[in-house]
Amino acid sequence: MTQQDGTAIGIEVTGDGAYSISVGRDLLGGVAETLGERVNKVLIVHTSTVGRLAEELRTELQRDFAQVLLAEVPDAESAKRVEVAAFCWKLLGQADFTRSDAIIGLGGGAVTDLAGFVAATWLRGVRLLQIPTTVLGMVDAAVGGKTGINTAEGKNLVGAFYAPHAVICDTGLLETLARNEILAGFAEVAKYGFIAEPEILETIERDVDRATDPTTPEFLRLIELSIAVKARVVSEDFREGGLREILNYGHTLGHAIEHAERYQWRHGVAVSIGMVYAAELGRMAGQLPDAVVDRHRSVLGALGLPLSYPAGRWPGLLATMQRDKKARAGMLRFIVLDDIAKPRVLAGVDESVLQFAYQEIAA
Ligand SMILES: NC(=O)c1ccc[n+]([C@@H]2O[C@H](COP(=O)([O-])OP(=O)(O)OC[C@H]3O[C@@H](n4cnc5c(N)ncnc54)[C@H](O)[C@@H]3O)[C@@H](O)[C@H]2O)c1
Ligand SMILES: O=C(O)C(=O)C[C@@H](O)[C@H](O)[C@H](O)COP(=O)(O)O
Ligand SMILES: [Zn+2]
């Protein structure tokens, strides 16, 4: 991490398609420069919840670029549909967007996943600038180059690995974000604590209110620590050949819960339950100590996140998990911990053990 000009921290993702993630406040004045001179036209993909911000950004960018268009898309998970991607492709086609033009994803993780997918697929790839406006987008969705949409069969089943040109995380944009959205984002922050960075867990345990208040130094530190873990992993394994799978901690069951809830639940909320399940599995099928399992419940509980799910839902969840991207030849794979910051893949576990672990989180 390098301090840039006193206001922004720069975190680098290295390897093919290297890019920089800036974290700080009042950073949107630098968007035009970040996009670069070769860009001619810009499409800003956003939802109505950040509509005013999108308008302001458009006005600002019109000084530097020939054409700046807005694509307002449906809110939250409804944005991650092929029909919405097609709507964006249509706008790009009608405005004659070429490979020297650019797309901005401005919004939560759902918007940045969609905008990233549209950028990856339009003309097989145009410049992408991600400007996340949620905690979850800043620490996770917008910063790692995984893009995608859902299908009727499951979550993120269509997508591409596509590196952004840059990511700008302006924490001032979080001022309008609802408290429950901040806490949902903290599920992914806690995930980094469990898989890699104990300081994150200690900071939440010390004072959860300060940790989750976007105006405190503790909050900023947690955002930076989280992005740093993600950047380290993505730099080493952009296309998820191995190491990157650890970022899916809690997601095998989490994605199945999102599917079961018809995507009406927030991603982080589902992942919270998924992490408690993964911890129980790590205890039963691995060697995770009881105290660490308890710590999952205390940290996630302190964040006000759910820890259990109805007992009768197991058969449906199991069927959905078989379609998880980590599954190989019908064999389910989970990320479990041997201890804090010691993640590994667990594969080929007997279904009875999977169900037994589920009983521990069943409401
Ligand atoms: N690509 C990845 O690596 C990755 C990682 C994690 C999550 N994700 C995806 O991210 C999505 C979840 O992202 P999310 O939690 O940001 O949810 P989201 O995008 O649905 O946003 C949550 C809500 O906050 C609103 N909002 C956004 N910014 C706001 C602001 N500044 N002020 C007021 N309201 C605002 C949105 O309109 C929405 O209603 C899921 O689809 C998940 O699969 C992707
Ligand atoms: O960046 C990654 O890699 C992750 O797994 C991050 C997750 O938090 C994220 O939800 C991701 O979209 C899940 O990936 P998927 O490949 O299982 O859809
Ligand atoms: Zn996630």
Side-chain angles (χ1 to χ4, degrees), residues 136 140 188 191 247 249 251 255 267-268 271:
L136 193 140
D140 200 347
E188 302 276 20
K191 173 188 80 178
L247 300 179
Y249 186 56
H251 283 61
H255 280 169
H267 176 71
V271 168

mmCIF file of all heavy atoms in Angstrom, residues 136 140 188 191 247 249 251 255 267-268 271, ligand 3:
data_model
loop_
_atom_site.group_PDB
_atom_site.id
_atom_site.type_symbol
_atom_site.label_atom_id
_atom_site.label_comp_id
_atom_site.label_asym_id
_atom_site.label_seq_id
_atom_site.Cartn_x
_atom_site.Cartn_y
_atom_site.Cartn_z
ATOM 1 N N LEU A 136 -19.514 -3.572 0.460
ATOM 2 C CA LEU A 136 -19.235 -4.852 -0.187
ATOM 3 C C LEU A 136 -18.563 -4.662 -1.543
ATOM 4 O O LEU A 136 -17.641 -5.377 -1.915
ATOM 5 C CB LEU A 136 -20.532 -5.657 -0.322
ATOM 6 C CG LEU A 136 -20.300 -7.119 -0.683
ATOM 7 C CD1 LEU A 136 -21.232 -8.031 0.071
ATOM 8 C CD2 LEU A 136 -20.423 -7.331 -2.170
ATOM 9 N N ASP A 140 -14.742 -5.991 -2.093
ATOM 10 C CA ASP A 140 -14.806 -7.291 -2.751
ATOM 11 C C ASP A 140 -15.251 -7.215 -4.211
ATOM 12 O O ASP A 140 -14.447 -7.385 -5.141
ATOM 13 C CB ASP A 140 -15.757 -8.199 -1.937
ATOM 14 C CG ASP A 140 -15.554 -9.670 -2.194
ATOM 15 O OD1 ASP A 140 -14.861 -10.001 -3.157
ATOM 16 O OD2 ASP A 140 -16.088 -10.501 -1.434
ATOM 17 N N GLU A 188 -18.274 -9.803 4.265
ATOM 18 C CA GLU A 188 -17.071 -10.079 3.454
ATOM 19 C C GLU A 188 -15.813 -9.557 4.169
ATOM 20 O O GLU A 188 -14.738 -10.148 4.065
ATOM 21 C CB GLU A 188 -17.187 -9.446 2.062
ATOM 22 C CG GLU A 188 -18.403 -9.899 1.241
ATOM 23 C CD GLU A 188 -18.215 -11.214 0.471
ATOM 24 O OE1 GLU A 188 -17.308 -12.000 0.823
ATOM 25 O OE2 GLU A 188 -19.008 -11.444 -0.469
ATOM 26 N N LYS A 191 -15.000 -12.133 6.481
ATOM 27 C CA LYS A 191 -14.439 -13.268 5.718
ATOM 28 C C LYS A 191 -12.920 -13.134 5.595
ATOM 29 O O LYS A 191 -12.185 -14.096 5.840
ATOM 30 C CB LYS A 191 -15.083 -13.313 4.324
ATOM 31 C CG LYS A 191 -14.474 -14.345 3.388
ATOM 32 C CD LYS A 191 -15.025 -14.220 1.964
ATOM 33 C CE LYS A 191 -14.362 -13.111 1.167
ATOM 34 N NZ LYS A 191 -14.865 -13.007 -0.226
ATOM 35 N N LEU A 247 -11.342 -17.121 -1.410
ATOM 36 C CA LEU A 247 -12.249 -15.966 -1.333
ATOM 37 C C LEU A 247 -13.710 -16.400 -1.360
ATOM 38 O O LEU A 247 -14.613 -15.603 -1.149
ATOM 39 C CB LEU A 247 -11.974 -14.980 -2.483
ATOM 40 C CG LEU A 247 -10.569 -14.382 -2.533
ATOM 41 C CD1 LEU A 247 -10.426 -13.459 -3.734
ATOM 42 C CD2 LEU A 247 -10.253 -13.615 -1.248
ATOM 43 N N TYR A 249 -14.913 -18.510 0.711
ATOM 44 C CA TYR A 249 -15.260 -19.019 2.047
ATOM 45 C C TYR A 249 -16.703 -18.631 2.394
ATOM 46 O O TYR A 249 -17.075 -17.451 2.306
ATOM 47 C CB TYR A 249 -14.283 -18.443 3.083
ATOM 48 C CG TYR A 249 -14.463 -19.029 4.468
ATOM 49 C CD1 TYR A 249 -14.401 -20.408 4.667
ATOM 50 C CD2 TYR A 249 -14.703 -18.210 5.573
ATOM 51 C CE1 TYR A 249 -14.578 -20.956 5.935
ATOM 52 C CE2 TYR A 249 -14.868 -18.747 6.839
ATOM 53 C CZ TYR A 249 -14.807 -20.123 7.008
ATOM 54 O OH TYR A 249 -14.985 -20.665 8.263
ATOM 55 N N HIS A 251 -19.318 -19.265 0.731
ATOM 56 C CA HIS A 251 -20.147 -18.967 -0.436
ATOM 57 C C HIS A 251 -20.865 -20.184 -1.011
ATOM 58 O O HIS A 251 -21.843 -20.020 -1.739
ATOM 59 C CB HIS A 251 -19.309 -18.313 -1.525
ATOM 60 C CG HIS A 251 -19.021 -16.867 -1.256
ATOM 61 N ND1 HIS A 251 -18.323 -16.443 -0.147
ATOM 62 C CD2 HIS A 251 -19.351 -15.737 -1.944
ATOM 63 C CE1 HIS A 251 -18.224 -15.125 -0.176
ATOM 64 N NE2 HIS A 251 -18.837 -14.669 -1.252
ATOM 65 N N HIS A 255 -24.402 -18.971 -1.593
ATOM 66 C CA HIS A 255 -25.028 -18.820 -2.910
ATOM 67 C C HIS A 255 -26.305 -19.648 -3.002
ATOM 68 O O HIS A 255 -27.295 -19.222 -3.620
ATOM 69 C CB HIS A 255 -24.059 -19.249 -4.013
ATOM 70 C CG HIS A 255 -23.046 -18.198 -4.363
ATOM 71 N ND1 HIS A 255 -21.958 -18.442 -5.161
ATOM 72 C CD2 HIS A 255 -22.966 -16.890 -4.026
ATOM 73 C CE1 HIS A 255 -21.250 -17.333 -5.311
ATOM 74 N NE2 HIS A 255 -21.840 -16.380 -4.615
ATOM 75 N N HIS A 267 -26.421 -10.487 -0.421
ATOM 76 C CA HIS A 267 -25.346 -11.461 -0.560
ATOM 77 C C HIS A 267 -24.610 -11.678 0.771
ATOM 78 O O HIS A 267 -24.415 -12.823 1.208
ATOM 79 C CB HIS A 267 -24.390 -10.941 -1.642
ATOM 80 C CG HIS A 267 -23.170 -11.767 -1.857
ATOM 81 N ND1 HIS A 267 -23.202 -13.015 -2.446
ATOM 82 C CD2 HIS A 267 -21.864 -11.525 -1.568
ATOM 83 C CE1 HIS A 267 -21.972 -13.494 -2.512
ATOM 84 N NE2 HIS A 267 -21.139 -12.625 -1.981
ATOM 85 N N GLY A 268 -24.225 -10.584 1.417
ATOM 86 C CA GLY A 268 -23.444 -10.703 2.653
ATOM 87 C C GLY A 268 -24.202 -11.430 3.753
ATOM 88 O O GLY A 268 -23.605 -12.164 4.554
ATOM 89 N N VAL A 271 -23.976 -15.063 2.986
ATOM 90 C CA VAL A 271 -22.598 -15.532 3.190
ATOM 91 C C VAL A 271 -22.290 -15.672 4.689
ATOM 92 O O VAL A 271 -21.520 -16.549 5.099
ATOM 93 C CB VAL A 271 -21.594 -14.572 2.487
ATOM 94 C CG1 VAL A 271 -20.158 -14.839 2.918
ATOM 95 C CG2 VAL A 271 -21.721 -14.713 0.973
HETATM 96 ZN ZN ZN B 3 -19.032 -12.754 -1.894
#
